Amino acid sequence: MITTDPEKQIPVNKEDLFKNVISHSKEYGFIFPSSEIYDGLSAVYDYGQLGVELKKNIREYWWKSMTQLHENIVGIDAAIFMHPTTWKASGHVDAFNDPLIDNKDSKKRYRADVLIDDHLAKIESKIDKEIEKAAKRFGETFDAKMYRSTNPRVLEYQKKIEEISGRFKTALTNNDLVEVKQIIIDCEIVCPVSGSRNWTDVRQFNLMFSTQMGSVSEDAGTIYLRPETAQGIFVNFLNVQKSGRMKIPFGIAQTGKAFRNEIVARQFIFRMREFEQMEMQFFVKPGTEMDWYAYWKEARMKWHTSLGSPMDKYRFHDHIKLAHYANAACDIEFEFPFGFKELEGIHSRTDFDLKSHEQHSGKKLQYFDPEENKNYVPYVVETSIGLDRMFLALLSDAYKNEVLEDGTIRDVLNLPAFLAPVKAAILPLVKKDGLPEKAKEIMNILKFDHLCHYDEKDSIGKRYRRQDAIGTPFCITIDHETTDPSSANYNTVTIRHRDTMRQERVKVDQLPGIIEEKVSMKKALKSLEA
Ligand code: GAP
């Protein structure tokens, strides 16, 4: 568990925290808006020099936890472009839709389901306010649960929520878009920009990006940018099973880009049009899928909580309305600065995908089970997490503003040390007297194992602040005693710990061991097996 002193932290409201995280990301080279010199591209972002390191470390932790810790999970790297029939078989051509609606006055486009969800959230927040007010009024004796179940105004709001969500669920199940529009009208939902209720009809919008393969004059065909990496795993199921002599149960893991033409793209890197997924499909014997579903729910939650955020930042959300291919599904939600939202999905996908690919390709995608002495199409339990969302979860939780004893403020990212982009900063106290040369010597020892920063500009205090702000776990300062053979501290340096700001004098040859102990991924991986 990472600790900076909570007493020192400056309380900020969640909206400001989110704004601060976005500007911090840009200021320090984690994330930039894509093609910013042309005013950016909506919901597309670039990772900068530090962002790319943090992202790589998160990916590596996921990858190792899957492929290195499980003898029966192997990785692949399938192409982004796939045969177009893949997407017919997976159901994405026909059903990967969001219901959209336009406001005729503002010309703004919205997801109809998001407008309704936001409306429900507003009613929910009215309930919260009633409870808050009552809690103040009644003091310590207040029983929130009792108040919720008896107060007439709260009950009225609750009834409204149930009515609307019931109607909405039925409308979605029946694909009744006229009813979805009627709900928007009945709820008197207005366009946040124009304030008007002048809505178009609701229509379905397919989220896949398409392009042409081959020149137009040739036999050009429409192909899609993959909206999920999972299908690259399904179509390679038999290749991997046979070439790797894999026995069921076994898994195939993959990380890579996915693309979705999201209608409502907001909340920074939470919902992007180009993003990265880390997915694992676990192939199991039919009838055992619920046991494996429970196993992966627990294993994935353990992975998340090994990263040091408090347990109450995570929760499971079971899907009530299941996708046509699933017989169980849930999300691991994280408390982002804008509330609890989906971070990862765990789905029991039955044999839907493999069977559908069998039908569309005419090729058998079956496994011969030597114990059962028969062929079958395996069932699949999937774990699917967005790398960018994981990045945002870590960054927003790690970002702190602290008031120090002298009244100054430091921005600090208390990221898990093994994920931090830079592991150590090498800082000569002054730019002369042979100190830079000694610092470079130390840099040359450490750089083969870790990404280190050398910095000789500005005061040592300012340099510490810069490193705190990017989450560097160690600052190593080289001073005159380090290079003075007559000093008792000859060949020693000061090492400063990011979270506690504690400083200690250590021998140069102890540095590799001290740093390795703290930044190695091994400890975190071991905790997953505990
Ligand atoms: N193969 C299953 C699948 O793709 P999903 O719930 O649509 O399931 C899985 O996506 C994860 O991918 C989500 O939990 C989220 O972390 C991430 N994700 C989905 N859409 C995203 C987007 N537009 N931007 C960023 N991450 C996204």
Side-chain angles (χ1 to χ4, degrees):
M1 172 88 190
I2 301 150
T3 49
T4 55
D5 188 347
E7 300 265 298
K8 290 185 199 154
Q9 287 164 28
I10 303 175
V12 275
N13 69 43
K14 288 181 176 176
E15 213 167 285
D16 286 345
L17 168 69
F18 192 36
K19 279 189 200 146
N20 292 347
V21 167
I22 297 172
S23 59
H24 193 86
S25 297
K26 184 167 176 220
E27 186 180 348
Y28 287 96
F30 284 88
I31 298 170
F32 308 123
S34 160
S35 30
E36 197 187 8
I37 56 167
Y38 297 105
D39 294 334
L41 185 64
S42 169
V44 185
Y45 290 91
D46 297 339
Y47 284 80
Q49 66 278 16
L50 295 180
V52 74
E53 294 293 335
L54 175 56
K55 197 175 173 200
K56 180 196 75 190
N57 294 342
I58 302 170
R59 191 191 296 113
E60 188 183 342
Y61 184 49
W62 181 89
W63 187 258
K64 287 190 170 176
S65 75
M66 285 292 174
T67 62
Q68 244 170 261
L69 298 193
H70 295 91
E71 282 173 42
N72 58 352
I73 299 182
V74 291
I76 62 164
D77 183 16
I80 287 172
F81 290 142
M82 299 181 73
H83 191 285
T85 312
T86 308
W87 305 110
K88 188 78 192 153
S90 67
H92 284 82
V93 170
D94 298 319
F96 194 50
N97 299 322
D98 275 343
L100 70 82
I101 190 166
D102 293 293
N103 183 268
K104 290 183 197 163
D105 298 322
S106 68
K107 310 271 180 276
K108 291 276 172 204
R109 179 161 289 179
Y110 299 94
R111 261 175 65 178
D113 56 329
V114 171
L115 286 179
I116 295 171
D117 279 345
D118 287 351
H119 181 72
L120 290 172
K122 270 188 202 147
I123 306 178
E124 191 64 58
S125 75
K126 282 183 187 164
I127 297 180
D128 291 344
K129 272 193 195 129
E130 289 290 335
I131 294 175
E132 234 171 74
K133 267 198 288 177
K136 271 192 199 141
R137 215 175 329 126
F138 294 114
E140 275 187 6
T141 55
F142 181 64
D143 181 344
K145 215 171 162 188
M146 169 79 93
Y147 191 80
R148 199 178 252 277
S149 62
T150 54
N151 178 270
R153 205 170 302 155
V154 171
L155 288 175
E156 202 181 301
Y157 286 139
Q158 198 57 50
K159 194 167 151 223
K160 233 187 223 172
I161 291 177
E162 277 156 27
E163 260 170 33
I164 299 167
S165 35
R167 267 179 82 187
F168 184 42
K169 201 176 151 193
T170 315
L172 286 186
T173 313
N174 300 337
N175 203 13
D176 185 352
L177 300 182
V178 175
E179 170 67 354
V180 175
K181 181 177 179 184
Q182 196 55 48
I183 297 171
I184 291 175
I185 291 167
D186 293 348
C187 291
E188 301 183 349
I189 296 174
V190 297
C191 166
V193 177
S194 69
S196 88
R197 291 184 216 151
N198 195 5
W199 296 109
T200 62
D201 288 341
V202 178
R203 55 203 187 285
Q204 292 290 15
F205 175 79
N206 192 286
L207 298 186
M208 281 197 295
F209 284 102
S210 61
T211 185
Q212 301 294 315
M213 188 171 252
S215 72
V216 180
S217 55
E218 286 168 22
D219 189 14
T222 299
I223 57 163
Y224 300 99
L225 273 74
R226 65 180 178 199
E228 62 172 13
T229 61
Q231 298 303 325
I233 296 179
F234 289 124
V235 299
N236 278 298
F237 157 72
L238 217 49
N239 284 337
V240 173
Q241 191 273 319
K242 287 204 182 312
S243 59
R245 292 181 299 132
M246 308 299 288
K247 286 204 173 65
I248 273 185
F250 75 90
I252 304 178
Q254 175 169 219
T255 70
K257 290 272 177 136
F259 305 83
R260 297 183 187 178
N261 198 1
E262 300 281 0
I263 302 165
V264 182
R266 56 181 183 195
Q267 291 162 329
F268 192 37
I269 57 169
F270 180 80
R271 195 175 302 285
M272 298 156 89
R273 296 203 164 100
E274 174 180 341
F275 58 101
E276 191 166 338
Q277 287 186 315
M278 306 191 286
E279 298 200 295
M280 193 278 300
Q281 312 294 322
F282 201 67
F283 300 92
V284 305
K285 194 155 119 184
T288 64
E289 71 275 13
M290 284 309 161
D291 294 337
W292 285 112
Y293 175 68
Y295 170 88
W296 282 110
K297 266 179 86 169
E298 194 191 322
R300 292 304 303 146
M301 188 56 106
K302 202 166 183 185
W303 186 89
H304 285 285
T305 50
S306 71
L307 292 168
S309 298
M311 285 291 283
D312 62 5
K313 284 259 170 191
Y314 299 92
R315 70 182 186 197
F316 284 113
H317 169 76
D318 291 320
H319 290 199
I320 302 160
K321 182 178 176 283
L322 294 174
H324 56 286
Y325 52 77
N327 62 2
C330 70
D331 298 331
I332 292 179
E333 293 187 338
F334 180 78
E335 192 179 13
F336 289 95
F338 38 84
F340 271 98
K341 296 274 175 204
E342 174 185 347
L343 174 58
E344 168 157 13
I346 299 159
H347 313 124
S348 172
R349 290 181 77 126
T350 67
D351 55 1
F352 171 84
D353 299 89
L354 289 180
K355 268 207 171 136
S356 187
H357 285 305
E358 273 197 332
Q359 280 156 13
H360 283 80
S361 67
K363 310 262 165 43
K364 276 209 175 326
L365 293 175
Q366 299 191 359
Y367 171 76
F368 176 73
D369 191 327
E371 282 166 25
E372 301 270 323
N373 197 27
K374 67 172 191 195
N375 285 306
Y376 56 75
V377 178
Y379 270 41
V380 172
V381 175
E382 166 186 76
T383 73
S384 174
I385 174 172
L387 176 50
D388 312 272
R389 275 193 200 175
M390 191 60 223
F391 188 108
L392 181 59
L394 277 166
L395 203 65
S396 54
D397 199 46
Y399 177 77
K400 311 267 164 19
N401 302 128
E402 286 180 355
V403 186
L404 304 182
E405 267 155 28
D406 62 2
T408 58
I409 292 172
R410 76 161 180 159
D411 288 349
V412 59
L413 283 186
N414 61 342
L415 290 163
F418 71 95
L419 296 182
V422 178
K423 305 298 192 228
I426 320 292
L427 315 171
L429 190 62
V430 290
K431 258 195 273 182
K432 53 183 184 180
D433 306 332
L435 301 192
E437 289 75 10
K438 183 68 186 171
K440 288 268 165 70
E441 208 180 278
I442 293 172
M443 178 92 180
N444 282 335
I445 297 170
L446 298 177
K447 73 179 184 192
F448 294 101
D449 291 310
H450 308 291
L451 182 63
C452 301
H453 267 183
Y454 174 85
D455 189 2
E456 57 179 27
K457 282 190 214 97
D458 297 324
S459 72
I460 195 73
K462 272 195 184 158
R463 282 181 272 168
Y464 284 159
R465 292 291 166 275
R466 273 204 290 270
Q467 296 301 327
D468 288 343
I470 64 170
T472 306
F474 295 112
C475 285
I476 295 159
T477 306
I478 291 90
D479 58 23
H480 289 97
E481 289 187 278
T482 313
T483 53
D484 178 1
S486 66
S487 163
N489 283 329
Y490 178 56
N491 233 357
T492 66
V493 291
T494 304
I495 186 162
R496 173 184 176 274
H497 300 256
R498 176 197 66 196
D499 297 336
T500 56
M501 295 187 285
R502 186 169 58 85
Q503 300 191 13
E504 57 181 327
R505 197 95 203 172
V506 302
K507 290 192 179 131
V508 169
D509 57 15
Q510 285 178 301
L511 281 173
I514 293 172
I515 296 171
E516 181 62 24
E517 215 275 314
K518 183 99 187 266
V519 306
S520 149
M521 202 172 270
K522 198 167 161 181
K523 217 191 256 172
L525 285 168
K526 277 194 165 171
S527 76
L528 298 177
E529 301 231 308

